[in-house]
């Protein structure tokens, strides 16, 4: 199937909106993507025709909802090529997935252990590990980055030692757009016996993810950054890990048997899915991932990368623009600063012209400190963005610069 941008755009009703009297140019996809009509329809169809609680009822509707929910889990397994569907744990999103893992790993971390993260992590993949280290008397080690936004791999390799209990690393940086060479990194980690968590929040919608090929032990992502609704996400965890780790939350569904004295826990993945899950969200996540598959993840990556290069070239022509993150392998995000302007003012003025970008630290304050900048303006792309939108953005930016200087 060819990549038909007009057809794709027509699938996203919100793209027809105007903002401040101007056609919407939505370049805040790193924060959340828009939703195609079929995802929105999937949610309403569930509540109109299929709503019931799962895993609990003998009645037909409950059975139907359970089958659909489990079929979604299995589709997601295939999408990321996990070995077994019990390795797919539904969560609220990346943040919850990582918190789940950090909580479950707690007993395994003892004084003197080390956890490694990188200087480019989102707070979601930083604060849980920092807090775990504080609580357990472990050491948080930060992998530095080069000036262009690439990781220092040699240093990373040297930093791992017999005390390293986990390497938690983002697949794609939400600020710099850097695509980390995670397969190579995981290989290094495996050689030293270090398990790896990949934060996939910014990779799932932009690049092919095959967890078995990558060799990661854990992979976390949010549905809402991949055309699915908010409030649904996944933690992929290798069976051999998750079966040994303790539960994260207690309550209904995650138990096997409860007495006044003690409780035994359910098998995977239910051990990690306490309470009523977001069934509509899971079904809509399946729909969104099917939409990505149908469009073709490689075609999407190609389109978005071409867009990114086009945008980089366009805005580089504007006087005083400094691009933050110039790694050779980038996708999705274009961060920049303009001499003599504040990111917030740039974002505000772009909004007046209908253009949605994000400004600030992008939940990566340690990275901002590392780069010694207050924040950036970030344009982030999705499959439905176009060169014409980039042209509008660059024209608007030229006007903004003239206004602010
Ligand atoms: N990890 C990365 C790399 C992210 O970019 C984000 C969200 C998260 C984790 C957290 O995801 P959540 O769905 O649990 O919130 N990033 C952004 C962003 O760049 N702008 O807004 C949210």
């Amino acid at each position: 199937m060819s990549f038909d941008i007009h057809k794709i755009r027509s699938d996203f009703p919100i793209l027809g909106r105007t903002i401040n009297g101007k056609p919407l140019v939505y370049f805040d996809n790193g924060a959340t993507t828009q939703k195609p009509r079929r995802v929105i329809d999937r949610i309403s169809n569930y509540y109109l025709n299929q709503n019931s609680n799962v895993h609990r009822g003998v009645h037909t509707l409950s059975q139907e909802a359970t089958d659909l929910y489990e079929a979604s889990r299995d589709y997601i397994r295939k999408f990321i090529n996990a070995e077994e569907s019990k390795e797919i744990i539904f969560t609220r999103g990346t943040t919850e997935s990582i918190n789940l893992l950090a909580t479950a790993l707690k007993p395994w971390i003892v004084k003197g252990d080390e956890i490694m993260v990188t200087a480019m992590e989102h707070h979601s993949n930083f604060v849980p590990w920092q807090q775990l280290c504080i609580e357990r008397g472990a050491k948080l080690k930060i992998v530095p980055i080069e000036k262009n936004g690439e990781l220092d791999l040699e240093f990373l390799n040297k930093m791992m030692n017999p005390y390293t209990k986990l390497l938690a690393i983002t697949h794609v940086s939400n600020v710099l757009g850097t695509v980390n060479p995670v397969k190579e990194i995981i290989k290094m980690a495996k050689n030293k016996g270090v398990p790896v968590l990949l934060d996939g929040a910014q990779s799932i919608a932009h690049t092919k993810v095959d967890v078995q090929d990558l060799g990661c032990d854990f992979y976390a992502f949010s549905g809402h950054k991949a055309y699915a609704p908010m409030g649904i996400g996944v933690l992929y965890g290798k069976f051999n890990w998750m079966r040994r780790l303790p539960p994260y939350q207690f309550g209904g569904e995650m138990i096997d048997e409860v007495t006044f004295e003690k409780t035994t826990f359910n098998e995977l993945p239910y051990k990690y899915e306490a309470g009523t899950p977001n069934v509509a969200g899971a079904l809509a996540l399946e729909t969104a991932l099917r939409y990505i598959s149908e469009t073709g993840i490689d075609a999407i990556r190609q389109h978005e990368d071409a867009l990114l290069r086009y945008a980089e070239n366009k805005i580089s022509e504007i006087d005083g623009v400094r691009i933050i993150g110039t790694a050779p392998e980038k996708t999705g995000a274009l961060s920049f600063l303009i001499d003599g302007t504040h990111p917030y003012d740039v974002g505000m003025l772009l909004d007046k012209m209908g253009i949605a970008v994000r400004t600030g630290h992008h939940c990566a304050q340690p990275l901002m400190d590392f780069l010694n900048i207050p924040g950036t303006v970030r344009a982030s792309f999705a499959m439905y963005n176009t060169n014409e939108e980039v042209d509008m953005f660059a024209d608007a930016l030229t006007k903004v610069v003239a206004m602010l200087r």
Side-chain angles (χ1 to χ4, degrees):
M1 214 184 80
S2 69
F3 190 85
D4 183 347
I5 189 73
H6 298 293
K7 161 78 178 60
I8 289 169
R9 287 186 70 81
S10 71
D11 288 336
F12 290 80
I14 204 170
L15 297 181
R17 255 203 76 165
T18 54
I19 299 286
N20 296 320
K22 303 280 177 2
L24 165 66
V25 173
Y26 187 76
F27 282 173
D28 193 20
N29 296 286
T32 198
T33 59
Q34 299 302 344
K35 319 305 171 199
R37 190 184 299 279
R38 71 177 77 172
V39 166
I40 301 164
D41 288 347
R42 185 68 195 92
I43 301 165
S44 60
N45 181 32
Y46 173 73
Y47 284 116
L48 286 168
N49 299 304
Q50 298 165 321
N51 176 53
S52 181
N53 211 330
V54 290
H55 297 139
R56 282 158 208 221
V58 289
H59 62 84
T60 305
L61 212 50
S62 172
Q63 198 49 57
E64 225 175 271
T66 304
D67 291 347
L68 289 165
Y69 183 62
E70 291 307 322
S72 290
R73 192 193 306 278
D74 199 51
Y75 184 78
I76 293 156
R77 174 194 70 73
K78 277 191 229 137
F79 190 86
I80 61 168
N81 194 32
E83 206 174 340
E84 302 183 73
S85 57
K86 56 184 153 204
E87 296 178 317
I88 304 297
I89 297 160
F90 283 119
T91 64
R92 284 194 297 126
T94 311
T95 302
E96 190 179 44
S97 297
I98 296 174
N99 275 277
L100 186 165
L101 186 64
T103 306
L105 286 175
K106 201 177 285 183
W108 193 64
I109 306 294
V110 296
K111 196 169 162 49
D113 280 347
E114 298 180 355
I115 292 178
M116 272 169 60
V117 297
T118 80
M120 65 170 82
E121 299 310 314
H122 185 280
H123 294 161
S124 284
N125 195 32
F126 183 83
V127 183
W129 305 118
Q130 182 192 51
Q131 296 303 306
L132 177 60
C133 285
I134 291 170
E135 196 180 322
R136 306 298 286 176
K139 188 169 167 193
L140 187 71
K141 295 217 297 199
I142 317 288
V143 181
I145 56 176
E146 315 266 12
K147 270 210 168 67
N148 69 353
E150 281 188 292
L151 290 171
D152 185 338
L153 290 198
E154 212 175 300
F155 206 82
L156 185 154
N157 199 23
K158 281 198 197 123
M159 282 170 77
M160 288 184 283
N161 64 43
Y163 298 101
T164 314
K165 284 294 185 77
L166 182 76
L167 171 62
I169 180 177
T170 195
H171 190 174
V172 175
S173 161
N174 68 318
V175 178
L176 308 166
T178 310
V179 182
N180 286 318
V182 289
K183 193 168 171 180
E184 194 184 334
I185 292 170
I186 291 164
K187 211 164 146 198
M188 286 177 181
K190 293 279 118 135
N191 281 338
K192 302 219 176 176
V194 175
V196 179
L197 158 70
L198 289 185
D199 175 345
Q202 300 293 345
S203 62
I204 189 74
H206 302 285
T207 195
K208 173 125 198 63
V209 173
D210 178 331
V211 290
Q212 289 190 76
D213 181 54
L214 291 172
C216 57
D217 299 270
F218 313 100
Y219 181 86
F221 71 92
S222 302
H224 72 95
K225 292 184 200 286
Y227 312 103
M230 293 178 177
I232 188 76
V234 165
L235 175 67
Y236 156 79
K238 269 190 186 152
F239 178 70
N240 255 338
W241 268 110
M242 301 317 286
R243 81 180 166 81
R244 289 182 288 156
L245 299 181
Y248 165 57
Q249 291 180 327
F250 302 102
E253 197 56 37
M254 56 76 64
I255 54 90
D256 174 32
E257 207 179 315
V258 182
T259 67
F260 284 120
E261 289 75 32
K262 68 173 181 48
T263 296
T264 53
F265 305 121
N266 205 339
E267 60 189 23
L268 285 171
Y270 312 112
K271 181 170 89 175
Y272 286 108
E273 292 183 5
T276 298
N278 180 358
V279 179
L283 306 192
L285 175 56
E286 174 187 346
T287 305
L289 297 182
R290 281 186 186 275
Y291 185 78
I292 291 177
S293 273
E294 219 176 87
T295 312
I297 189 75
D298 294 335
I300 293 170
R301 173 87 193 261
Q302 220 175 10
H303 172 76
E304 290 174 348
D305 286 3
L307 211 56
L308 179 61
R309 279 192 297 275
Y310 183 66
E312 279 181 342
N313 288 335
K314 270 269 172 183
I315 70 164
S316 297
E317 289 166 10
I318 301 168
D319 182 40
V321 164
R322 177 156 63 103
I323 291 173
I324 308 294
T326 50
E329 275 287 301
K330 275 179 73 170
T331 197
L334 169 54
S335 265
F336 61 93
L337 286 169
I338 309 172
D339 290 345
T341 68
H342 193 279
Y344 180 79
D345 298 331
V346 175
M348 284 281 285
L349 289 171
L350 286 175
D351 179 60
K352 297 265 178 284
M353 301 180 219
I355 297 165
V357 294
R358 186 149 293 241
T359 64
H361 55 63
H362 314 292
C363 295
Q365 283 178 6
L367 174 62
M368 298 299 133
D369 291 347
F370 193 89
L371 299 171
N372 201 18
I373 54 175
T376 73
V377 183
R378 182 190 70 183
S380 53
F381 306 109
M383 64 162 99
Y384 42 68
N385 291 126
T386 64
N387 281 358
E388 292 71 47
E389 287 182 311
V390 171
D391 290 340
M392 286 193 256
F393 165 64
D395 287 347
L397 209 52
T398 308
K399 285 188 196 138
V400 167
V401 172
M403 277 185 235
L404 290 175
R405 282 225 190 107

